[in-house]
């Protein structure tokens, strides 16, 4: 902050403090309440769910923020009515989950992670902000910076993956995209980084479950991505649902105050997750909502999302001396400051504008970018005998599967996105000139008995056996009379996202049967897989010659898929989360620690190693893995020196050559390994990425600068430091690369 900015801030703070002085305690406490927007949308407030949850008319009049409503017209009207009734005319904050796009839906965050290009995240978030701001929103509950290593957990789709470095780059880029230089500017919204902390590691991959991590793992692996978002200026942080160190994050003073406020220097607003304050009662941490409010507020939660615990109890808790009015003032001031940063005191409607909303939402430019981002996020896992791309548009293509002509290819977290706006695979292929395609669904998306919960009701085809048999037969017949089969299969979109943990992470059984049936009559199968998580693909791997992972690709999915299948674009995505061999391996990640009995040292069939008896240790497809339609060859790793002293840097370089016959993009990945440390160190850690675009026959030297900072970790004495000794530098195409050199750190 320069001196002018500081003065402006002080002047603003003066005004905000004066406003605070004029507010009654009740008015202040209500600033710390967030209500669902639906309460404002109809007149049934006093008889509906709001009343059941213990809210009263005063809460409606005075609440500081609202979530999950949008639309310029709606929000302007709501804001106007609210401000008119509010004693100090303080504007409301409008928040919502804009997770991967507002109406123009981009690929899911896990897919964007696979681009290994944070600039893509930045651009997607900037567009999402532009559309949301025009629709009247001020804050998004994004990015989710939770590190994820357990594919059973449904929310891995909201993260950018298993790696600390990559997640941090993406979290930072997302905040930059949403907020820009100054969140007050037109088309910008504030970011709320979540879920603090370590929500991504629930035991057994089961949603909302306890998290067990040691402090060093928390600090070294889980906190950096939140920190990156905070350093980039994220306006808010959301506390996680789960228990950490035996205390739910919502009531966890160590996480929210000692770490978040004191060590990470976060100065913005902390909000609870949905009803999480009340859930402290269910966790068995509090007997009553009053006690829950005391614990959550005392731990450092400023805003209570969707419960009446704060609104009903903070005043009493102050009277009883359990919390101080000074602390309430500080929390309220943070909320007012956020409103002020967004410019709401000057213009409470900010960018809400029906005309602009119509103009920008789903406009051509945004759709084009959604197509580009989606194509870059797809990962080609297998391509035997160059089955893909399908360059001959006259070939007879059987397009089969529940996703062949399905618009529902946005994730469960596309709350404002609409299926009707999506381009299906069939539509994309026809548009790309594949006129000789025939389409069959082949089977229903999921098996009839599978429970998807309320949200998905109506979207599942429950099987009538006769009809299912006919669908299957029609599909197999079509495959038989076709040259190639494009099999568009995968998870239902409600099989991932919140509350979508799965113990079996294969594609639904009916779809596997379809794959096997088709294999009997046609071996040229390219499986195009829709998913929100890494899957167990052993069966697909057995029968499909080509496998393309397209995640939930968003509004322009079908066009982007056609771009890749046709070879108009060359796949360049790499896995930001490895695909396990099977569920029994989970959690599995490339940066694991060395054991005392590594598989590599096992001799003469000895069993006493850190291995499974029945499956390999390695995932089916590791972190960083992905193919291209061309080939890249790596030269050896060269270092300009082999000793690093103090602040000196080492340049590591490698020459990459496109040895195939198409232009292509390669993601060059640099990993470091600390051979010996005062604590056990990961086998390797990603420390640098560089995307290069090469023409056939072209080569490029790629350089990485290594410095002492990159070698730091939490040492035995708890210091963030590096230790002298040998380090290995690996540079290659994925986390399995053996292409390495070594150097010494001398201190
Ligand atoms: C989720 C959050 C989300 C919130 C508001 C919760 O259930 O865990 O990620 O932001 O709802 O919709």
């Amino acid at each position: 902050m320069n001196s002018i900015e500081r003065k402006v801030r002080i002047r603003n703070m003066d005004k905000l403090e004066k406003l605070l002085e004029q507010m009654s305690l009740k008015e202040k406490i209500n600033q710390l309440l967030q209500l669902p927007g639906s309460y404002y949308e109809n007149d049934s407030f006093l008889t509906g769910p709001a009343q059941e949850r213990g809210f009263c008319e005063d809460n409606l009049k005075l609440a500081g923020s609202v979530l999950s409503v949008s639309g310029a017209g709606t929000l302007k009207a709501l804001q106007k009515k609210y401000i008119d009734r509010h004693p100090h005319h303080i504007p409301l904050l409008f928040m919502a989950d804009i997770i991967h796009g507002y109406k123009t839906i981009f690929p899911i965050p896990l897919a964007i992670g696979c681009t290994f290009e944070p600039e893509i995240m930045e651009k997607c978030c900037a567009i999402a902000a532009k559309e949301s701001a025009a629709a009247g929103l001020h804050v998004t509950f994004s990015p989710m910076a939770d590190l994820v290593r357990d594919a059973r957990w449904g929310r891995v789709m909201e993260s950018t993956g298993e790696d600390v470095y990559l997640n941090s780059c993406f979290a930072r880029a997302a905040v930059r995209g949403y907020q820009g230089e100054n969140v007050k500017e037109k088309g910008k919204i504030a970011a709320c980084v979540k879920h603090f902390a370590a929500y991504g590691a629930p035991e057994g991959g089961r949603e909302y479950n306890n998290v067990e991590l040691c402090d060093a793992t928390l600090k070294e692996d889980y906190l950096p991505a939140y920190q990156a978002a905070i350093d980039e200026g994220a306006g808010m942080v959301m506390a996680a649902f789960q228990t950490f160190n035996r205390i739910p994050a919502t009531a966890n003073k160590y996480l929210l105050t000692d770490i978040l406020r004191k060590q990470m220097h976060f100065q913005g607003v902390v909000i609870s997750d949905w009803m999480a304050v009340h859930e402290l009662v269910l966790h068995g941490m509090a007997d009553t909502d009053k006690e829950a409010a005391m614990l959550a507020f005392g731990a450092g939660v400023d805003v209570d999302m969707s419960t009446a615990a704060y609104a009903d109890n903070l005043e009493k808790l102050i009277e009883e001396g359990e919390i101080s009015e000074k602390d309430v003032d500080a929390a309220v001031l943070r909320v007012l400051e956020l409103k002020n940063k967004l410019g709401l005191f000057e213009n409470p409607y900010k960018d809400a504008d029906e005309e602009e909303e119509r103009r920008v939402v789903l406009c051509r430019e945004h759709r084009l970018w959604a197509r580009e981002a989606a194509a870059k996020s797809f990962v080609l896992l297998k391509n035997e005998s160059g089955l893909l791309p399908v360059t001959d548009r006259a070939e007879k293509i059987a397009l089969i599967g529940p996703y062949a002509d399905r618009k529902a290819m946005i994730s469960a977290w596309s709350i404002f996105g609409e299926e009707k706006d999506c381009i299906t695979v069939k539509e994309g292929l026809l548009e790309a000139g594949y006129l000789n395609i025939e389409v069959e669904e082949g089977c229903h998306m999921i098996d009839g008995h599978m429970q998807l919960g309320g949200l998905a009701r109506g979207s599942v085809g429950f099987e009538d056996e006769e009809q299912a048999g006919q669908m299957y037969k029609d599909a197999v017949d079509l495959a038989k009379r076709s040259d190639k089969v494009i099999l568009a299969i995968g998870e239902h979109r409600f099989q991932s996202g919140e509350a979508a943990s799965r113990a079996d992470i294969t594609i639904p059984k009916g779809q596997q049967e379809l794959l096997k049936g088709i294999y009997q009559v046609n071996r040229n199968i390219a499986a195009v897989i829709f998913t929100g998580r890494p899957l167990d693909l052993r069966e697909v791997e057995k029968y499909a010659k080509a496998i393309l992972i397209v995640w939930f690709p968003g509004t322009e999915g079908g066009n982007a898929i056609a771009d890749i299948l046709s070879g108009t674009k060359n796949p360049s995505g790499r896995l930001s989360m490895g695909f396990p061999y099977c569920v029994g391996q989970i959690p599995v990640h490339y940066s694991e620690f060395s054991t005392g009995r590594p598989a590599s040292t096992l001799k003469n069939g000895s069993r006493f190693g850190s291995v499974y008896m029945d499956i390999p240790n390695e995932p089916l497809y590791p972190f960083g893995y992905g193919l291209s339609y061309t080939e890249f060859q790596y030269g050896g790793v060269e270092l300009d020196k082999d000793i690093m002293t103090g602040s000196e840097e080492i340049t590591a370089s490698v020459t990459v050559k496109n040895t195939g016959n198409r232009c292509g993009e390669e993601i060059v990945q640099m990993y470091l390994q600390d051979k010996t440390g005062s604590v056990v160190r990961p086998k390797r850690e990603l420390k640098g990425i560089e995307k290069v675009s090469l023409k056939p026959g072209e080569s490029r030297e790629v350089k990485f600068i290594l410095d002492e900072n990159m070698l730091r970790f939490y040492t035995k004495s708890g210091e963030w430091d590096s230790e002298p000794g040998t380090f290995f530098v690996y540079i290659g195409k994925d986390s399995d690369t053996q292409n390495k050199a070594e150097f010494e750190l001398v201190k």
Side-chain angles (χ1 to χ4, degrees):
M1 212 187 294
N2 64 33
S3 63
I4 298 179
E5 282 168 348
R6 206 168 293 126
K7 269 189 206 142
V8 172
R9 179 154 188 262
I10 289 168
R11 219 176 37 232
N12 284 336
M13 285 306 274
D14 275 356
K15 280 196 190 162
L16 295 180
E17 275 162 10
K18 284 214 179 81
L19 172 60
L20 191 70
E21 275 167 25
Q22 291 157 17
M23 291 166 74
S24 69
L25 185 55
K26 184 172 169 185
E27 286 159 10
K28 290 193 281 195
I29 288 170
N30 274 279
Q31 282 298 312
L32 306 181
L33 166 66
Q34 174 160 102
L35 286 178
S38 54
Y39 295 178
Y40 288 86
E41 279 183 323
N42 49 47
D43 294 327
S44 60
F45 180 75
L46 288 174
T47 55
Q51 199 200 30
E52 279 160 33
R53 289 222 204 124
F55 294 111
C56 63
E57 274 289 344
D58 270 350
N59 299 135
L60 205 66
K61 261 191 236 158
L62 301 173
S65 58
V66 158
L67 86 159
S68 294
V69 259
S70 84
T74 309
L75 294 191
K76 280 202 308 198
L78 206 165
Q79 186 75 294
K80 176 157 189 346
K81 191 166 167 198
Y82 173 90
I83 295 175
D84 287 350
R85 291 204 295 179
H86 192 280
H88 304 280
H89 313 296
I90 298 174
L92 269 171
L93 271 172
F94 295 123
M95 310 191 190
D97 291 277
I98 311 300
I99 306 298
H100 54 118
Y102 174 68
K103 288 266 185 197
T104 306
I105 301 297
F106 300 106
I108 54 172
L110 188 62
I112 297 184
C114 294
T115 66
F116 276 62
E117 237 183 293
E119 298 74 20
I120 293 182
M121 177 65 94
E122 185 175 342
K123 180 93 187 262
C124 292
C125 293
I127 291 176
K130 198 167 171 185
E131 292 192 3
S132 315
L137 291 168
H138 306 137
V139 181
T140 173
F141 296 126
S142 168
M144 184 182 104
D146 303 324
L147 190 81
V148 289
R149 290 172 172 172
D150 190 330
R152 291 169 298 184
W153 193 47
R155 300 193 82 165
V156 301
M157 55 135 306
E158 289 175 64
S159 164
T160 45
E162 72 175 62
D163 183 65
V164 189
Y165 171 81
L166 208 59
N167 264 13
S168 306
C169 296
F170 278 108
R172 192 182 275 276
V175 175
R176 212 162 37 233
Y178 290 130
Q179 300 194 165
E181 289 289 304
N182 179 352
V183 71
K184 206 181 261 192
E185 276 167 17
K186 185 168 174 204
K188 293 297 167 197
I189 56 177
C192 173
V193 58
K194 65 191 188 184
H195 305 81
F196 200 83
Y199 182 39
E203 280 183 320
R206 205 184 72 219
E207 183 66 295
Y208 314 128
N209 204 5
N210 177 47
V211 165
E212 287 289 334
L213 290 178
C214 73
D215 229 43
T217 303
L218 173 76
K219 288 187 180 156
E220 217 162 293
D221 295 0
Y222 285 81
L223 296 185
Y226 308 116
Q227 181 75 67
I230 290 168
D231 290 348
E232 194 58 39
M236 293 182 67
V237 167
M238 186 186 290
F241 278 128
Q242 97 292 337
T243 299
F244 179 82
N245 274 354
R246 308 194 177 186
I247 298 186
T250 312
N252 200 314
K253 198 168 183 178
Y254 171 66
L255 286 182
L256 300 181
T257 300
D258 299 349
I259 294 188
L260 182 64
R261 294 278 185 216
K262 295 187 186 151
Q263 291 173 23
M264 296 172 77
H265 306 294
F266 178 64
Q267 293 182 346
V269 177
V270 175
I271 189 168
S272 77
D273 203 337
W274 175 266
M275 293 198 72
V277 177
H278 167 71
E279 283 175 16
L280 293 177
V281 175
L282 304 168
H283 271 289
M285 274 286 294
D287 269 332
T288 58
D289 274 4
K290 182 177 166 198
E291 198 183 341
M294 180 184 84
L295 291 171
F297 189 79
V301 172
D302 295 328
V303 176
D304 174 1
M305 187 195 289
S306 289
T307 85
Y310 276 20
D312 283 354
N313 297 299
L314 289 192
E315 189 164 349
K316 277 178 246 153
L317 288 166
I318 293 173
E319 279 164 17
E320 291 164 13
E322 296 292 353
I323 63 171
S324 78
E325 186 165 354
K326 197 166 126 272
D327 289 342
V328 169
D329 285 354
V332 176
L333 203 58
R334 284 191 282 271
V335 173
L336 297 179
E337 211 188 346
L338 179 61
K339 294 183 176 187
N340 189 43
K341 276 191 185 146
L342 283 153
L344 299 184
F345 288 107
E346 294 105 72
N347 174 11
Y349 308 107
K350 196 169 183 299
D351 307 326
D353 178 347
E354 291 92 324
E355 184 105 330
E356 174 79 351
E357 186 182 10
R358 265 192 300 275
R359 205 176 59 74
V360 298
V361 160
L362 283 165
C363 66
R364 193 179 132 74
E365 185 203 330
H366 294 183
R367 275 186 169 276
L368 281 176
W369 182 255
R371 180 172 180 166
E372 177 78 11
K376 287 200 169 211
S377 74
F378 300 162
V379 186
L380 183 67
L381 295 182
K382 182 177 177 189
N383 195 17
E384 234 174 68
S385 350
L387 185 69
L388 293 178
V390 184
T391 43
D392 180 0
R393 282 168 166 71
E395 259 184 315
K396 173 124 194 71
I397 305 288
L399 173 59
I400 298 175
Y403 276 108
D405 194 18
R406 191 188 194 89
K407 287 197 174 277
M409 54 170 77
I410 51 181
S411 82
W413 270 119
S414 316
I415 62 171
F416 299 112
E418 293 181 70
E419 291 173 12
K420 72 171 177 40
D421 296 318
C422 293
I423 308 291
T424 70
V425 181
K426 177 184 168 193
E427 288 164 347
L429 285 172
L430 285 176
E431 181 68 28
Y434 289 86
L435 303 179
N436 201 7
I437 53 171
E438 254 187 85
V439 181
E440 285 296 344
E441 202 177 342
C443 65
H444 288 303
M445 173 72 72
I446 62 167
D447 313 325
H449 64 273
M450 198 171 249
Q451 297 296 314
L452 289 182
L455 278 175
R457 229 174 278 136
S459 60
V460 183
F462 287 99
E463 278 178 38
D464 149 349
E465 258 175 47
E466 205 176 307
Q467 188 205 15
Q470 192 58 46
M471 284 167 84
Y472 175 89
K473 184 176 175 311
D474 291 345
V476 174
D477 286 350
L478 170 60
K480 201 169 182 174
R481 55 176 198 272
S482 305
D483 298 320
K484 285 180 181 162
V485 179
I486 292 174
L487 191 62
I489 51 178
E491 285 191 307
H492 187 283
R493 73 187 191 102
F494 285 110
Q495 283 182 292
S496 60
E498 185 172 351
S501 295
R502 294 182 67 199
D504 171 5
I505 54 167
T506 55
I507 56 166
K509 291 280 172 296
Q511 300 188 43
Q512 290 187 41
E513 291 308 315
L514 179 65
L515 167 64
K516 285 183 209 163
I518 291 173
Y519 179 80
Q520 302 307 321
V521 298
N522 192 330
R523 302 268 155 118
N524 288 326
I525 304 172
V528 174
I529 307 227
F530 290 72
T531 180
R533 55 155 61 77
L535 295 167
D536 167 352
L537 286 183
R538 283 173 299 165
E539 285 299 291
V540 180
E541 153 84 17
K542 235 187 259 169
Y543 300 107
K545 265 194 188 160
I547 303 176
L548 181 72
I549 304 296
V550 298
W551 310 107
F552 286 108
T555 317
E556 283 287 319
N559 280 331
I561 290 167
D563 288 338
I564 295 288
L565 293 180
S566 64
T568 310
K569 290 181 183 158
N570 195 346
S572 60
R574 304 290 183 261
L575 295 178
S576 62
M577 187 177 181
F579 274 47
Y581 182 82
C582 66
V583 96
Q585 234 184 16
I586 289 174
V588 61
H589 60 101
Y590 82 90
S591 57
E592 63 178 8
F593 296 122
S594 309
T595 66
R597 304 243 175 134
S600 56
T601 58
L602 282 185
K603 283 193 195 112
N604 307 330
S606 159
R607 57 184 288 172
F608 297 100
S610 177
V611 292
Y612 294 101
M613 299 184 99
D614 47 357
I615 58 164
N617 276 12
E618 294 71 35
L620 195 58
Y621 300 106
F623 174 82
Y625 177 85
L627 303 173
S628 158
Y629 292 150
T630 189
E631 295 283 328
F632 297 99
Q633 207 176 60
Y634 282 72
V637 179
E638 311 270 345
L639 303 183
D640 67 345
K641 343 179 177 50
D642 50 16
I643 294 194
M644 183 189 277
T645 51
S647 59
E648 246 182 326
E649 292 170 342
I650 291 183
T651 303
S653 51
V654 81
T655 301
V656 186
K657 183 171 183 189
N658 181 346
T659 54
N661 49 18
R662 279 172 176 272
C663 292
E665 283 184 323
E666 171 71 337
I667 297 162
V668 184
Q669 302 163 35
M670 190 272 286
Y671 298 84
L672 290 177
Q673 183 192 359
D674 186 349
K675 188 165 170 256
T676 315
S678 58
V679 294
V680 175
R681 306 287 296 120
K683 284 184 179 166
R684 58 180 66 183
E685 298 169 285
L686 184 72
K687 293 289 175 177
I689 43 178
E690 182 81 36
K691 206 170 208 177
V692 288
S693 178
L694 296 173
K695 297 199 189 81
E698 194 185 354
S699 9
R700 176 104 31 96
E701 188 182 33
V702 177
K703 292 185 175 176
F704 293 97
I705 307 292
L706 317 181
D707 64 30
E708 187 267 333
N709 260 319
M710 289 178 171
L711 312 180
R712 295 187 178 197
F713 63 101
Y714 286 98
T715 62
K716 194 172 176 185
S717 56
E719 297 299 307
W720 179 245
D721 203 358
S722 61
E723 291 173 346
T726 304
F727 288 81
F728 299 113
V729 190
Y730 296 85
I731 306 182
K733 50 170 72 248
D734 60 42
S735 58
D736 257 357
T737 181
Q738 298 307 320
N739 194 23
K740 69 172 181 188
E742 67 178 81
F743 68 90
E744 292 288 313
L745 173 69
V746 178
K747 288 177 87 176

